[in-house]
Amino acid sequence: MDSFLEEEDEEAPTVVVAGKRRRRSSPAAQALQPPLHLPFLPLQPVSSNEHKLNFRKSKEACLSFIQDALLQKEWKRAAEFLTCYIESLEKDYSREHIGPSEMIWRTGAEILWHHSQSSMKEFNCFMEQMKTLGVKRYLKVCLEHVFHLLCNGQIDEAYQNLSLAESWRFGEQTAIQDKEMKLIQAYRGLLDYYSWSKQKNILLENSEDGFSDSAVEQEMHGYFRKAAVNLKEIIKIPGVWDIFVKCYVDLLEFYGDHNEARQVLNEYAYNSKFPANPNAHVYLYQFLKRQREPKKSLISALKILHDIVPSHELMIDFNTMLQKSKKRKKRRLGLEVIFAALDYAGWKENAKAWSCLSRQVKQIVISEKHLDWIKQEWNSRKDWWPAFHFSRYLAKRNWQENKSLSYEKALVAGILLGKGCKYFKYVSHQGCKAQLKRFRMLKKFVNRHNPVYLRISGPPDSSVQP
Amino acid sequence: RDFNERCAQCSEVNWGLTDGGRFYCRSCHNVTERTREVVNTDFITNSRVQTISKGSRKQEKNDGGSEWYICEGFQLVLKKQVEALEALGVCPQMKDEILCNFWRCYLQKSKQAYCKRPAGEAVKALSVCESSTDVDSDPERPSLLHLLSLSESEGDLQTDCSFASSVSKVSESTSVYSGSVDGSLYLMKSQKEKLRMTMPMTLSFCYMALLWMREPITLSELLRYVVEGHIPYLNVFQHFPEKMKLCGLDLKIFCVESWPVYEEVFNKMHELAAYLDLPRFPDITESCFLHPDMLCMKYLMEANLPDELHNWTCRVVKKIGIGEVDFLTLVPGNKSTRKVKYDVLAAAVIVVVLKLLFLLDDHYECFSVISFISSQTKVYIFYSGGPYFEFKKWYEVVKHSLDVQQKKLDEERAKYLWRCEKPLFYSVKNKAKVLKRRQMVVNLQNQFGKLSSSVQRAEKPNPSSFQLSWSEKNTDGSCFHRHSLKGILQEKRGLLTTMNPDYWLCTVKLCNEKLCGHLAHYKEVEFPQSYHFVLGLFSFLLQVQPSYIHDEVCMIEHKLFNKKLYKKLKYNTVLRK
């Protein structure tokens, strides 16, 4: 067919060109130009073929009905269409990335998992069939099967399946699916860790009762070795391995290998080949805290976490630590951290965070030093925080729901926005009406320091000393 | 002369004659002891008995199948199809007197049988002496690998790598694996010199016979019955007798994986009629079902349009002479006349009438009746027994119904099961693999079938020539058959004419059908929505593309406005009767 096309295409242009050229250009000019060689056109489909309904189109339509039904969680309807889609397996000789057999595996598993009339037995049977269907994704199917078994609480079956998958050999395919194999091994290691921790608990209980069981202990150490080997392997590969890292560190700590644990965590947090992962820093921080490491290293671990996730819950700890610091720079950072955290909606009603902020603000106001810190932080927020945090509606709600939250917020609002601000006015009024002493104090405090507000919100002014 | 006893094995009466003069059953290939005493030269007129003069038939091949030829396969397909048509109520003469004769005529013309030296043998002999030379070097003959990428199965075979490689190995010799004797030769025959039989062509044969008999089945209906499974087409080969083994290249020929396309079957029928040198077909007169007046009546009913419109379609048909016998009757090989697609033509007539009355410009049809009613006295609303026809209301009712049906159809198509029980394999080598796959498919189908919302699908619905039906008994006012057109007509000099004085042409200039393949070109965005809706409606009813109908609409318009166009009255012409 191609050779035929070539002939046609070469002929066609010469005929046309000859007719037009002869009149205009001299033969010499024509000789300079090589004959136009047109590239191949795709075989043109006959117009009616576009609408030809055939096997493939019908199955494509079927697949999209399946997907719709899955999205709507209509499992029965999805099963109905899948029943009709299955026969595309018989024509699945394609080397496409996601062929019908993969589609059947994925959608079928989803349907069987959610369908009310399906059972685990049926699910297992389906998965076994899927394993025989494609060697290229054998391990993937195995892994997914294991996940489902775990979700169903069948831990022993899951372990068996993992062991079986680990011993799978299929020529080249075993080497190609190396990554999946590593995962299989890692999950087996995880299950070994699970057994280890169960044994550990038995042992701990027994020792409380005064027993000691060397057999159980032996078994436990056995699990440790098996788990440690596999977990250590997977952690070496760049990736997000939170659960594996956590378990491995737990094992190491239990056996007192703190150096190895520290190394693993440092590697996990700081190796640039690994994707950025906030949890890596959290784990490191928690480990360091357990090890009672000096403040300095704790702060440096949290500093990175602050850079990645300014809204992380550990930011309270971070702020507390920084506030206590004697260094000006660190206290300054603390203010930054708590302001940044409160930018996020998740923190809006967190009394602890607000008390951190109010404490620091109060401190600064009383000492009358570093008012410019507040001024700087406030500058970028003054046009949206009032609506975001200090509306009258919020004042009402906070007052009803959480008095101490509204106290802290009112203090901050009073300092930042002055005594005329809605939030402060409402809360202090309510507080005085309820004859609460600390609200009266609050009102006095704000009134006394009202000039601060003018300095904070005013234009940059030279009288403010750093 | 006629051997009419039932076969001892399968109790069919379907005898063929071996070269040894014995009768054999063409259904199960059982050979009787009975022989023909006298070989008559005119025995070919007997429809029940046909000889296959292809040398002595080897009864058993090593795999338990017997020798068979491709044309025998097609004969079986045709037989099944015509029997199904008979069951649908077609005149029983069609099978034995019409289709059988067409088929025999075809076999003779294509030199496959009823001739001194059947083509198959000639090619066979040729291939023997050629087998030593390199086949690919012969430019006239496509190589076998080449063949694989052409024709029916749309190259799906190519993806079956094991098959492709096995073929390339043997491509030097012409003996490619097939169950039939002449499967490989069949695909190699160049299509130019003769019409090669294909699966869609079996339907062309059926349609030709139906047309000859002037049966009340249009081509679009025939194809719809095929898709609905009332006429065997897909997987017919599963009805082949046990001993006709189907494999390798036979699958390319008999195993179809797409539905027949209107245009293809239509064109092949005309080619075939010319190839067989058939005489002029019986006249299509006004009393025939295929006459536009009759078909218009049917489609008006199906489209839920007022019966009164029939008066208008008849007037258009008469005015442009498309109801004439000479226009409608097929004369094979006559290239000067346009081939008539009876069903599409009738639908197009209705579209033109709708355009005449309602303009269909997304504006006029929505306001016509309302403005009329408000300007006239409102007393005559229930004139002549029916309420006034309102295009807008009709649109809403029909659109709703159409959407529902279309959705149903889409789902049915998506749910269609294409594969049959009989496993198919291209070579013995992958037989085990195919059988294993088949088994798994059956298992999975059972597993998910149990979880399906609907219990196993009910019996096939009975065939109906109507896809949409509107009953006047429904009191919800969804039937417009009796509605009156008074709202948009006016009386002038004793004649009813349209209130609407304007018209727009779909196209000012027609394309040359012979050069470009179409009279006109349809792009949805360039036309008003209501015009598109009407086309879409008929496209659904006929199950053809809207552009087919559009072509025909353009043709009718040009005949209708021929004189006006010449007078250069331009686009907005006024039509007065």
Side-chain angles (χ1 to χ4, degrees), chain A residues 60-268:
Chain A
E60 273 166 17
C62 192
L63 187 61
S64 72
F65 274 111
I66 296 174
Q67 286 163 339
D68 280 351
L70 287 178
L71 282 175
Q72 315 280 332
K73 306 203 167 162
E74 293 172 350
W75 311 113
K76 281 181 183 173
R77 192 174 146 85
E80 193 179 332
F81 280 104
L82 184 59
T83 312
C84 304
Y85 183 72
I86 284 167
E87 62 176 4
S88 56
L89 258 189
E90 283 183 86
K91 289 188 61 82
D92 181 24
Y93 298 103
S94 56
R95 294 184 209 93
E96 286 164 47
H97 182 54
I98 297 184
S101 59
E102 178 149 4
M103 279 302 176
I104 290 169
W105 161 47
R106 291 187 183 280
T107 52
E110 200 66 17
I111 292 168
L112 285 173
W113 186 248
H114 292 282
H115 200 288
S116 55
Q117 277 160 275
S118 145
S119 65
M120 205 56 206
K121 197 179 148 205
E122 253 184 281
F123 187 84
N124 290 338
C125 166
F126 174 74
M127 278 307 202
E128 289 310 324
Q129 291 196 63
M130 289 301 113
K131 282 176 198 172
T132 62
L133 207 56
V135 277
K136 279 183 189 162
R137 50 167 186 278
Y138 178 85
L139 291 180
K140 257 190 204 168
V141 179
C142 286
L143 205 56
E144 180 159 312
H145 188 192
V146 167
F147 292 155
H148 281 105
L149 286 169
L150 288 176
C151 285
N152 205 38
Q154 294 171 287
I155 291 164
D156 291 342
E157 284 84 347
Y159 194 87
Q160 265 173 23
N161 267 290
L162 284 172
S163 307
L164 214 67
E166 216 181 322
S167 61
W168 180 70
R169 292 289 173 273
F170 201 93
E172 276 184 343
Q173 286 297 325
T174 322
I176 292 170
Q177 297 179 38
D178 183 47
K179 274 186 184 162
E180 283 85 355
M181 190 57 99
K182 284 261 159 54
L183 271 175
I184 296 259
Q185 287 165 344
Y187 275 99
R188 201 169 62 86
L190 194 67
L191 290 188
D192 280 324
Y193 166 81
Y194 176 76
S195 305
W196 173 84
S197 93
K198 257 202 319 206
Q199 299 284 358
K200 186 185 76 175
N201 288 340
I202 292 172
L203 217 60
L204 287 176
E205 266 174 41
N206 285 357
S207 66
E208 267 173 29
D209 300 345
F211 299 115
S212 74
D213 190 336
S214 65
V216 173
E217 208 176 322
Q218 277 300 312
E219 221 179 317
M220 184 181 106
H221 296 328
Y223 284 128
F224 159 70
R225 273 189 296 275
K226 279 199 275 182
V229 168
N230 283 330
L231 292 176
K232 194 178 174 180
E233 273 308 301
I234 192 87
I235 288 166
K236 283 183 192 160
I237 306 166
V240 177
W241 308 123
D242 289 356
I243 185 141
F244 302 129
V245 168
K246 243 178 136 175
C247 294
Y248 188 51
V249 167
D250 189 26
L251 285 174
L252 292 173
E253 277 187 280
F254 183 82
Y255 288 98
D257 194 349
H258 300 296
N259 281 337
E260 168 83 1
R262 186 195 308 272
Q263 209 182 327
V264 165
L265 287 170
N266 270 321
E267 178 80 5
Y268 192 49

Side-chain angles (χ1 to χ4, degrees), chain B residues 74-303:
Chain B
F74 279 119
Q75 190 164 321
L76 271 171
V77 174
L78 279 174
K79 184 171 163 266
K80 290 281 167 201
Q81 287 174 343
V82 75
E83 278 168 3
L85 281 169
E86 254 177 53
L88 286 175
V90 163
C91 169
Q93 282 179 320
M94 193 177 110
K95 180 183 168 193
D96 291 343
E97 287 175 22
I98 310 302
L99 191 65
C100 192
N101 273 320
F102 284 160
W103 176 241
R104 267 190 244 145
C105 188
Y106 171 77
L107 287 180
Q108 198 172 23
K109 286 264 178 200
S110 60
K111 299 207 168 93
Q112 296 184 63
Y114 307 115
C115 59
K116 286 201 173 141
R117 194 157 181 259
E121 290 199 340
V123 184
K124 212 165 158 187
L126 198 76
S127 69
V128 169
C129 62
E130 247 182 39
S131 59
S132 55
T133 62
D134 190 3
V135 177
D136 290 8
S137 67
D138 189 347
E140 282 299 300
R141 264 172 96 171
S143 77
L144 275 166
L145 267 181
H146 195 146
L147 281 172
L148 290 171
S149 62
L150 298 168
S151 86
E152 266 306 320
S153 298
E154 288 144 89
D156 276 323
L157 273 171
Q158 285 172 305
T159 52
D160 184 354
C161 37
S162 62
F163 176 55
S165 63
S166 75
V167 167
S168 64
K169 269 179 220 148
V170 294
S171 66
E172 279 119 303
S173 71
T174 43
S175 61
V176 166
Y177 192 75
S178 70
S180 61
V181 178
D182 57 344
S184 52
L185 291 171
Y186 202 81
L187 284 175
M188 296 223 300
K189 278 185 220 163
S190 128
Q191 236 176 335
K192 274 176 201 161
E193 56 188 78
K194 61 180 90 182
L195 271 175
R196 194 174 64 194
M197 204 50 198
T198 59
M199 279 304 285
M201 274 251 288
T202 60
L203 296 174
S204 301
F205 264 105
C206 289
Y207 178 50
M208 195 160 72
L210 288 170
L211 190 60
W212 187 276
M213 298 291 290
R214 292 180 287 185
E215 285 289 341
I217 295 186
T218 59
L219 179 54
S220 56
E221 249 176 309
L222 178 74
L223 297 184
R224 186 160 56 80
Y225 291 146
V226 168
V227 175
E228 284 171 2
H230 302 300
I231 295 170
Y233 181 72
L234 202 79
N235 297 333
V236 240
F237 51 82
Q238 61 183 332
H239 304 300
F240 283 9
E242 198 54 36
K243 283 186 177 172
M244 278 172 77
K245 298 281 181 205
L246 213 69
C247 53
L249 292 174
D250 304 336
L251 296 179
K252 281 236 142 254
I253 300 167
F254 290 106
C255 184
V256 281
E257 281 180 340
S258 55
W259 290 122
V261 179
Y262 188 100
E263 201 87 318
E264 189 185 354
V265 175
F266 181 81
N267 289 335
K268 273 277 181 293
M269 190 279 273
H270 287 92
E271 269 179 59
L272 197 58
Y275 180 69
L276 300 182
D277 285 330
L278 293 182
R280 182 184 157 111
F281 274 52
D283 287 348
I284 306 283
T285 57
E286 272 170 34
S287 59
C288 288
F289 178 76
L290 295 177
H291 192 276
D293 287 350
M294 292 285 245
L295 279 175
C296 278
M297 192 142 36
K298 174 185 187 286
Y299 293 136
L300 282 174
M301 265 167 85
E302 205 169 358

Side-chain angles (χ1 to χ4, degrees), chain B residues 57-69:
Chain B
R57 180 178 292 261
K58 259 192 266 163
Q59 268 306 302
E60 296 284 319
K61 283 206 283 190
N62 46 12
D63 59 347
S66 56
E67 278 189 356
W68 60 282
Y69 289 82

Side-chain angles (χ1 to χ4, degrees), chain B residues 308 312 357 372 485-491 496-499:
Chain B
E308 267 184 54
W312 285 81
L357 295 180
F372 171 77
L485 295 176
K486 285 275 148 41
I488 39 139
L489 298 179
Q490 57 189 352
E491 215 174 296
L496 281 177
T497 58
T498 58
M499 301 262 287

Side-chain angles (χ1 to χ4, degrees), chain B residues 267-500:
Chain B
N267 289 335
K268 273 277 181 293
M269 190 279 273
H270 287 92
E271 269 179 59
L272 197 58
Y275 180 69
L276 300 182
D277 285 330
L278 293 182
R280 182 184 157 111
F281 274 52
D283 287 348
I284 306 283
T285 57
E286 272 170 34
S287 59
C288 288
F289 178 76
L290 295 177
H291 192 276
D293 287 350
M294 292 285 245
L295 279 175
C296 278
M297 192 142 36
K298 174 185 187 286
Y299 293 136
L300 282 174
M301 265 167 85
E302 205 169 358
N304 199 10
L305 286 163
D307 300 339
E308 267 184 54
L309 279 177
H310 190 241
N311 179 21
W312 285 81
T313 63
C314 291
R315 284 161 80 180
V316 169
V317 166
K318 199 168 174 201
K319 169 116 185 160
I320 58 175
I322 54 171
E324 304 286 318
V325 175
D326 287 338
F327 176 81
L328 293 170
T329 307
L330 172 63
V331 183
N334 185 355
K335 282 177 183 159
S336 56
T337 51
R338 201 163 172 271
K339 297 157 198 158
V340 186
K341 296 169 183 160
Y342 303 97
D343 34 14
V344 181
L345 181 74
V349 169
I350 296 176
V351 175
V352 170
V353 165
L354 287 176
K355 273 177 83 181
L356 284 172
L357 295 180
F358 299 102
L359 203 57
L360 305 187
D361 65 349
D362 284 349
H363 183 78
Y364 180 81
E365 64 270 21
C366 300
F367 305 104
S368 54
V369 171
I370 301 151
S371 60
F372 171 77
I373 289 173
S374 56
S375 64
Q376 307 271 324
T377 48
K378 291 174 185 177
V379 186
Y380 298 110
I381 284 183
F382 291 95
Y383 201 81
S384 76
Y388 286 140
F389 177 75
E390 272 181 62
F391 189 88
K392 210 174 157 187
K393 248 190 199 164
W394 172 81
Y395 169 82
E396 277 159 13
V397 168
V398 174
K399 168 94 175 134
H400 173 74
S401 187
L402 189 64
D403 286 348
V404 171
Q405 293 293 324
Q406 185 67 52
K407 199 177 158 234
K408 223 168 94 187
L409 191 69
D410 287 345
E411 282 187 19
E412 261 164 36
R413 281 181 172 168
K415 276 198 228 163
Y416 196 83
L417 289 177
W418 296 75
R419 310 293 282 191
C420 62
E421 293 299 314
K422 198 170 174 173
L424 300 169
F425 35 87
Y426 298 110
S427 63
V428 181
K429 223 169 74 184
N430 58 15
K431 181 175 178 177
K433 196 175 153 195
V434 167
L435 289 177
K436 221 174 96 189
R437 272 277 160 103
R438 178 77 221 159
Q439 190 51 46
M440 180 178 281
V441 166
V442 171
N443 287 347
L444 289 172
Q445 277 173 341
N446 284 338
Q447 185 170 18
F448 286 98
K450 271 185 272 167
L451 301 176
S452 296
S453 47
S454 69
V455 198
Q456 279 306 306
R457 224 170 305 167
E459 295 279 296
K460 262 186 257 169
N462 286 331
S464 160
S465 48
F466 287 91
Q467 290 194 85
L468 300 174
S469 65
W470 314 91
S471 171
E472 278 171 50
K473 281 170 192 130
N474 280 357
T475 45
D476 56 359
S478 64
C479 178
F480 293 85
H481 292 157
R482 293 251 167 263
H483 282 218
S484 152
L485 295 176
K486 285 275 148 41
I488 39 139
L489 298 179
Q490 57 189 352
E491 215 174 296
K492 255 187 196 168
R493 279 169 256 133
L495 270 175
L496 281 177
T497 58
T498 58
M499 301 262 287
N500 160 36

